[in-house]
Amino acid sequence: MSAAPKLVDAIDRRFGAADSPRRIGIAVSGGSDSLALLHLLADWGRGTLLAATVDHGLRPEASEEAAYVARFCEGLGIPHRTLKWQGWDGRGNLQDHARRNRYALLAGWAKSNTLETVCLGHTLDDQAETFVMRLAREAGIDGLSGMAQLFWREDMRFDRPLLWERRAALRGYLEEKGVRWIDDPSNEDESFSRIKARKALAALEPLGIDAKVIGGSITNLDMARLALADYTSEVAAKTVKVVEGDLIIDRTALRRQSPEIIRRILSAGLRWVAAEDYPPRRESLADAEVAIFVGRNTTLHGCMILTSDLTIRLTRELKAVARLASPSDQSWDGRWRLDGPHAPGLEIRALGEAVKDCPNWRDTGLPRASLLASPAVWRGDTLVAAPLAGLENGWRASATGRGTFAQFLLSR
């Protein structure tokens, strides 16, 4: 029996509603999962489809694979673009750098084409592999709840419409259509954690532990995660307020909560202020909690944690943004946008010690530490405006893309 109708139904369940996205991007690598997603969306036949392939420049075959995908897209009548990453300097975690930059490239491409979402070809097999990898890192309920079907990166929506489908079904669908996919040789490289997890899952299958069974556990864990997130959001609505991009937490009210709720609020708060996708390490967060409750200021995750008798203030650390610059008409530090008389040569950088050149900064009521890392407009070495520090000169700063903090706590 053909797998096509069931798989097309999965697409329709994701995007069939009247208010679902209609301008849809597809990230296509040339592997079986993403090629199946491309063909399924084409078979579904609704909305406007565009496709993109990210060439990380790490393998000589990558350019040929991108061209292969482009030919497929041309045959389907879907516009395609190859996005090239040139940011790897050989330092740090290659896979993490590649993942972050892949999302940034796809988000930029999607925004430039006014797309409403970008679809990724992750499957239930990917979900199970991720579960095993996170289990090896002693992940808690959030990590073991699996990958989200809908999430946001770089202020762009991403969807995984095939997240609960097996890879074998997708390959069967492609074989029915006579479509050949590309097998990445890195899929056999056991130096990668994902490949180790894949082989571990194959060894567990004789015990009845396969991707489907793990998927059931992930669903159960996610229900528990949602209940915790709902309660944490209710607590945050009463104990946390946002003031010019900082989070102010009622210290007394927070101490009345259980350790898990305290951890969740602080972890999410640091992610919020730093505009980070990933939380701080549990051990580092535990050290910060000790500092908070003995009344000592500390730093973590690119943020300063300022503690008083009544409040805990989470604000950006100057060191984390001291070298960050962007044109004045673009977002800065992943969350700030400045509105004003934009012009060539103007850029956004941290205010830093130039706070002393803002005569009314004390009238703002914001601590000096917060203002040091606040966005300012510069022309070369000349300070033009610092809206949060009271030097407006026709400019206004607003934090973007995160909704209320209570809503953020509910997101993945």
Side-chain angles (χ1 to χ4, degrees):
M1 182 178 177
S2 173
K6 178 178 179 290
L7 294 172
V8 173
D9 282 348
I11 299 293
D12 194 61
R13 284 195 301 274
R14 194 70 196 144
F15 298 121
D19 59 349
S20 294
R22 284 296 176 265
R23 288 187 58 79
I24 299 173
I26 315 164
V28 189
S29 67
S32 60
D33 302 346
S34 60
L35 274 179
L37 176 62
L38 176 75
H39 282 271
L40 283 165
L41 281 162
D43 286 350
W44 180 60
R46 303 187 208 171
T48 299
L49 304 178
L50 285 80
T53 302
V54 177
D55 178 358
H56 294 97
L58 301 174
R59 295 185 297 113
E61 306 90 352
S63 295
E64 294 178 12
E65 291 168 1
Y68 178 72
V69 174
R71 290 194 296 273
F72 254 115
C73 291
E74 184 179 7
L76 293 170
I78 298 174
H80 174 272
R81 183 177 172 190
T82 298
L83 309 173
K84 294 199 173 186
W85 176 45
Q86 298 174 325
W88 176 240
D89 60 5
R91 295 180 296 178
N93 185 313
L94 171 58
Q95 287 187 309
D96 182 59
H97 277 281
R99 180 174 57 250
R100 289 173 182 268
N101 283 278
R102 181 163 60 249
Y103 282 127
L105 285 169
L106 288 169
W109 163 74
K111 291 173 188 175
S112 68
N113 286 281
T114 62
L115 300 179
E116 297 170 79
T117 193
V118 177
C119 288
L120 307 173
H122 294 125
T123 66
L124 183 56
D125 297 80
D126 294 305
Q127 186 80 290
E129 291 160 10
T130 300
F131 179 91
V132 172
M133 291 163 62
R134 292 177 178 176
L135 190 64
R137 295 198 295 266
E138 300 181 7
I141 192 169
D142 291 310
L144 297 179
S145 295
M147 297 185 288
Q149 194 157 34
L150 167 65
F151 64 103
W152 293 78
R153 291 285 187 278
E154 305 283 340
D155 290 334
M156 188 66 210
R157 170 177 163 152
F158 287 84
D159 269 282
R160 296 178 172 121
L162 301 177
L163 190 57
W164 300 102
E165 306 299 329
R166 295 299 306 268
R167 178 171 294 126
L170 301 186
R171 291 186 170 185
Y173 163 75
L174 290 178
E175 287 169 352
E176 288 175 11
K177 298 181 77 70
V179 174
R180 182 175 61 88
W181 61 87
I182 299 166
D183 283 317
D184 186 339
S186 67
N187 286 337
E188 299 301 322
D189 187 346
E190 291 192 33
S191 65
F192 292 117
S193 297
R194 182 165 294 278
I195 308 310
K196 292 177 182 176
R198 188 170 299 169
K199 292 184 179 295
L201 281 167
L204 288 170
E205 282 202 21
L207 298 176
I209 303 173
D210 61 8
K212 184 177 179 181
V213 168
I214 290 175
S217 292
I218 288 171
T219 299
N220 293 334
L221 287 165
D222 196 44
M223 290 173 67
R225 181 198 64 80
L226 283 169
L228 272 172
D230 281 342
Y231 180 72
T232 307
S233 182
E234 290 177 9
V235 171
K238 299 173 184 175
T239 61
V240 183
K241 62 180 180 179
V242 180
V243 178
E244 299 292 13
D246 289 356
L247 288 182
I248 314 297
I249 305 170
D250 183 324
R251 186 181 176 207
T252 303
L254 187 67
R255 293 191 70 166
R256 295 194 191 105
Q257 300 301 318
S258 69
E260 176 65 11
I261 302 305
I262 292 172
R263 183 193 68 79
R264 284 176 170 273
I265 287 177
L266 291 176
S267 178
L270 292 165
R271 286 176 55 215
W272 163 284
V273 172
E276 283 285 351
D277 296 327
Y278 301 99
R281 293 185 179 277
R282 185 177 287 265
E283 297 82 1
S284 300
L285 187 59
D287 291 341
E289 288 179 40
V290 171
I292 287 168
F293 292 121
V294 300
R296 186 177 74 245
N297 295 340
T298 189
T299 59
L300 180 62
H301 219 48
C303 299
M304 294 188 67
I305 305 174
L306 308 176
T307 305
S308 71
D309 290 341
L310 299 178
T311 65
I312 304 160
R313 188 181 199 108
L314 307 184
T315 190
R316 200 66 159 120
E317 183 184 11
L318 175 60
K319 181 181 177 182
V321 295
R323 297 185 179 182
L324 187 61
S326 64
S328 68
D329 58 353
Q330 296 182 16
S331 63
W332 181 78
D333 193 23
R335 63 188 184 124
W336 288 104
R337 182 164 292 279
L338 270 61
D339 297 312
H342 300 289
L346 294 179
E347 63 180 10
I348 308 172
R349 302 200 303 268
L351 177 58
E353 294 298 335
V355 66
K356 67 181 185 301
D357 300 321
C358 304
N360 300 320
W361 74 264
R362 290 181 177 82
D363 297 336
T364 67
L366 295 174
R368 184 174 182 275
S370 294
L371 293 174
L372 290 175
S374 68
V377 182
W378 295 84
R379 184 183 295 278
D381 293 331
T382 301
L383 177 64
V384 175
L388 299 184
L391 188 68
E392 296 180 350
N393 288 338
W395 291 84
R396 183 172 60 87
S398 57
T400 62
R402 295 251 158 177
T404 68
F405 181 61
Q407 291 170 338
F408 179 72
L409 283 161
L410 296 172
S411 66
R412 293 288 297 275

